[in-house]
Amino acid sequence: MGNIKYILGSFGDPDEMMHGIDKLQENNIKIHDVYTPMPIHGIEAKLGVKRSRLDIAAFFFGITGTITMLSFVYYAAAVDWPINIGGKPHFALPDFIPITFELTILFCAFGLVGSYYASSHMFPGRAPRVMDLRATDDRFIIAIDAAQNPEHSKIDNLLKEAGALEIKYNERKYVSYE
């Protein structure tokens, strides 16, 4: 059993899985991750997942788009090719608000998509990685790092008490779809 990387507890009901998380945490067993086929309210707080910083990233991507557009418009309209149209100033800010707003949204959207792919390692063309294929269908999976938690029989008993339908020992980190 020295080659085991993860112990996977498979549950058929989200309430049983939440009970399993409680039992494991009461016994100071570190949970690697939880895989569910649907969002479960409150699971992030229970697992101690930190708050996402995507809102901060969105702000900086948006500011970058705004500054980029205003800089380009200022350079094009006031520095490179100033044209006197009806006595208006070369850099009339109200005229450029709509396109500046559009570029702000564009930079924010592309930046957040890129950030999501980078943080989740789900780049286009990469094979999906899951611990158990049934986690995307109808099972709720608790993955426990076997190296950090050497008491495998205790973990098995706790998962069975919580209502696990199946307990598997995964020798690889991920299972591919192929």
Side-chain angles (χ1 to χ4, degrees), residues 18-39:
M18 295 295 266
H19 181 64
I21 291 171
D22 289 336
K23 281 192 160 294
L24 292 168
Q25 288 177 341
E26 286 170 5
N27 289 282
N28 296 324
I29 294 173
K30 184 169 174 14
I31 297 171
H32 172 69
D33 208 350
V34 174
Y35 302 93
T36 63
M38 64 185 185

Side-chain angles (χ1 to χ4, degrees), residues 116-129:
Y116 175 73
Y117 282 147
S119 67
S120 64
H121 304 287
M122 290 187 352
F123 300 104
R126 184 173 184 172
R129 305 180 312 174

Side-chain angles (χ1 to χ4, degrees), residues 34-160:
V34 174
Y35 302 93
T36 63
M38 64 185 185
I40 297 177
H41 180 69
I43 197 167
E44 296 91 1
K46 188 173 285 239
L47 292 173
V49 175
K50 295 177 184 174
R51 184 179 85 68
S52 173
R53 295 183 305 242
L54 283 179
D55 54 348
I56 298 167
F59 175 76
F60 283 110
F61 290 134
I63 287 295
T64 303
T66 301
I67 291 170
T68 301
M69 186 58 202
L70 290 176
S71 300
F72 175 74
V73 166
Y74 178 78
Y75 172 75
V79 176
D80 187 39
W81 197 0
I83 300 175
N84 187 358
I85 300 175
K88 289 199 270 183
H90 296 301
F91 184 65
L93 186 61
D95 295 341
F96 303 120
I97 293 296
I99 191 65
T100 302
F101 174 75
E102 294 297 330
L103 206 68
T104 300
I105 299 301
L106 182 71
F107 270 55
C108 189
F110 283 155
L112 286 177
V113 167
S115 297
Y116 175 73
Y117 282 147
S119 67
S120 64
H121 304 287
M122 290 187 352
F123 300 104
R126 184 173 184 172
R129 305 180 312 174
V130 292
M131 289 281 189
D132 189 335
L133 293 175
R134 294 172 298 175
T136 60
D137 187 24
D138 64 344
R139 291 290 173 95
F140 301 86
I141 308 294
I142 299 176
I144 301 153
D145 193 345
Q148 291 181 354
N149 303 296
E151 303 168 345
H152 296 179
S153 60
K154 180 180 178 183
I155 293 170
D156 288 354
N157 291 335
L158 289 171
L159 289 171
K160 286 177 187 172

Side-chain angles (χ1 to χ4, degrees), residues 4-11 32-33 35 130-134 140-146 155-156 159 164-173 175:
I4 297 170
K5 290 193 187 270
Y6 295 98
I7 301 170
L8 305 176
S10 178
F11 294 85
H32 172 69
D33 208 350
Y35 302 93
V130 292
M131 289 281 189
D132 189 335
L133 293 175
R134 294 172 298 175
F140 301 86
I141 308 294
I142 299 176
I144 301 153
D145 193 345
I155 293 170
D156 288 354
L159 289 171
L165 300 175
E166 181 182 8
I167 298 169
K168 288 180 16 179
Y169 295 96
N170 196 350
E171 295 181 0
R172 296 179 304 180
K173 187 169 183 178
V175 176

